[in-house]
Amino acid sequence: MFDIERTTLTEYLIAQRRLHPGATGEFNALILQVAQACKAISRAVALGALGGVLGSLDTENVQGETQKKLDVLADRIFLRATHWGGELAGMVSEENDAPIPLPAGGTRGKYLLVFDPLDGSSNIDVNVSVGSIFSVLRAATPGEDAKPEDFLQPGTQQVAAGYAIYGPSTMLVLTVGDGVAGFTFDPIIGEFFLTHPEIGIPTSTREFAINAANSRFWEPPVRRYVDECFAGKSGPREADFNMRWVASLVAETHRILMRGGVFLYPRDRKDPAKPGRLRLLYECNPIGMIVEQAGGRASTGERPVLEVEPTSLHQRIGFVFGSREEVERIERYHREPAPLLAPDAGADLPLFHSRSLFRQN
């Protein structure tokens, strides 16, 4: 039943703006344009095969990944919704090698937008939740076209970050540096309404997410952590853990925000040329800001991810985030030497002694 008293996204942004008397309204306009893009992408995702948007193209993005039809469509929707308003000095997308040119002769604003237009696109054809991720930064030279190096700001410099998740309902989760709020989209009215005003991540958890297929490439601290989780009540953690893996960063993040958990996509030895899988600027930094604002912790596995100084637009990095106690434990394992196992350690746990399910010989 429709609740006329619910706060809309526009009303929420106006209330936030009142906390900053010098604000001009450009920021609110930009966030509303991003929200408009998310509405359009939500409709395209919902139509699926009926809209002729499933399947892959014969093209690759800058990462060398095969582009889905919806990848390209979502990128164009983001561009169309945000490039004309005059709030931006530049924008960077996962689907483009260089910063996206803004319309010639148009006004240049004081913000930069970096985004992944459709995260988890490998799940599109099997109808699993996907999403969009975005981050807002301040331009180094407002009123002028941004240079590529202007985007290379650590996550601590973000003005706002958010994601949209396209699942059973479409939600926009947003932080403007004052906690995290969740808005649910009403497709009949065409508006986002505040439904989760103060999202917080529990400090502890008994649930973790990792791609176990990469276990042979993990570094010892990660293998130690996962082995201990799998050992359950009989192991050193003295508690049973559940493992989850969706292969969609937005879906993983949303689950952790709603009920806690820890996500690991760590640096490993699978491809020495890539220090991680996820992209720092438009995946790890915005998700990291949201997680930190919700009381969790976001890390490379060794240090806070938001403190990393970017060196390239599409830089990859290891990423661990979620409930603070678990992320801090993983960071501690990276600092500590690997424990030595006694000869009879785990004798009653044949899968989890020194030749466990996730250990190499």
Side-chain angles (χ1 to χ4, degrees):
M1 184 175 180
F2 179 67
D3 185 351
I4 195 171
E5 299 300 325
R6 284 199 183 276
T7 300
T8 67
L9 174 61
T10 301
E11 292 167 339
Y12 175 85
L13 291 171
I14 291 172
Q16 290 291 322
R17 179 184 172 187
R18 288 174 180 153
L19 302 176
H20 306 278
T24 62
E26 294 175 69
F27 172 77
N28 286 12
L30 175 58
I31 297 299
L32 291 174
Q33 290 163 18
V34 170
Q36 190 65 33
C38 294
K39 294 175 187 179
I41 296 169
S42 172
R43 177 168 173 77
V45 170
L47 284 173
L50 296 176
V53 295
L54 300 186
S56 301
L57 299 171
D58 295 326
T59 58
E60 294 182 345
N61 62 16
V62 64
Q63 335 294 338
E65 300 164 340
T66 299
Q67 291 179 306
K68 301 287 187 177
K69 291 179 181 178
L70 265 174
D71 282 324
V72 175
L73 177 60
D75 192 62
R76 291 174 179 169
I77 289 173
F78 252 89
L79 174 61
R80 180 66 183 85
T82 59
H83 80 294
W84 55 271
E87 292 79 21
L88 291 176
M91 54 200 308
V92 162
S93 163
E94 180 190 11
E95 303 301 324
N96 298 271
D97 186 13
I100 302 169
L102 297 177
T107 303
R108 301 299 185 257
K110 58 184 178 182
Y111 296 108
L112 306 176
L113 179 66
V114 294
F115 59 95
D116 180 351
L118 199 64
D119 168 73
S121 58
S122 62
N123 286 322
I124 291 170
D125 292 346
V126 293
N127 207 22
V128 173
S129 294
V130 295
S132 303
I133 309 172
F134 64 92
S135 168
V136 180
L137 302 162
R138 294 192 186 278
T141 52
E144 299 180 12
D145 283 310
K147 302 177 180 63
E149 56 269 24
D150 293 342
F151 294 89
L152 303 182
Q153 302 179 35
T156 53
Q157 300 300 310
Q158 293 175 105
V159 177
Y163 67 80
I165 181 168
Y166 313 118
S169 62
T170 292
M171 283 190 66
L172 178 69
V173 175
L174 175 70
T175 178
V176 294
D178 184 24
V180 180
F183 303 82
T184 300
F185 181 57
D186 184 330
I188 297 176
I189 298 175
E191 181 63 86
F192 281 105
F193 289 94
L194 180 63
T195 51
H196 298 69
E198 296 179 0
I199 297 175
I201 299 175
T203 57
S204 61
T205 185
R206 291 294 178 264
E207 192 166 271
F208 69 101
I210 193 168
N211 184 358
N214 290 329
S215 61
R216 64 193 184 279
F217 304 112
W218 292 340
E219 294 178 329
V222 174
R223 188 177 296 119
R224 173 187 175 186
Y225 177 80
V226 175
D227 280 350
E228 289 180 356
C229 291
F230 271 107
K233 289 183 178 179
S234 301
R237 300 297 303 276
E238 299 181 342
D240 290 329
F241 283 74
N242 293 322
M243 188 178 78
R244 301 285 183 263
W245 185 250
V246 183
S248 168
L249 179 60
V250 164
E252 303 279 7
T253 302
H254 198 70
R255 184 185 64 250
I256 289 171
L257 286 175
M258 293 298 106
R259 71 184 193 198
V262 62
F263 170 91
L264 302 93
Y265 213 136
R267 180 184 64 192
D268 57 36
R269 301 187 302 272
K270 186 174 184 179
D271 185 347
K274 296 177 181 177
R277 170 67 176 173
L278 299 177
R279 272 66 58 145
L280 176 60
L281 283 186
Y282 43 80
E283 291 180 326
C284 302
N285 276 347
I287 296 300
M289 182 180 183
I290 293 167
V291 167
E292 295 273 349
Q293 285 290 319
R297 185 166 179 83
S299 173
T300 65
E302 299 176 330
R303 56 180 292 209
V305 73
L306 297 183
E307 296 178 1
V308 175
E309 293 283 347
T311 57
S312 64
L313 294 178
H314 301 285
Q315 178 180 348
R316 296 177 186 261
I317 198 167
F319 196 27
V320 177
F321 68 85
S323 297
R324 180 169 291 274
E325 289 182 2
E326 295 303 301
V327 177
E328 289 177 343
R329 175 183 291 271
I330 294 164
E331 290 176 328
R332 187 173 79 246
Y333 285 3
H334 278 85
R335 296 191 298 268
E336 295 176 353
L340 296 175
L341 294 176
D344 60 346
D348 57 341
L349 293 169
L351 286 179
F352 297 101
H353 55 48
S354 59
R355 291 182 62 194
S356 77
L357 182 64
F358 294 115
R359 288 188 183 276
Q360 294 173 309
N361 294 340

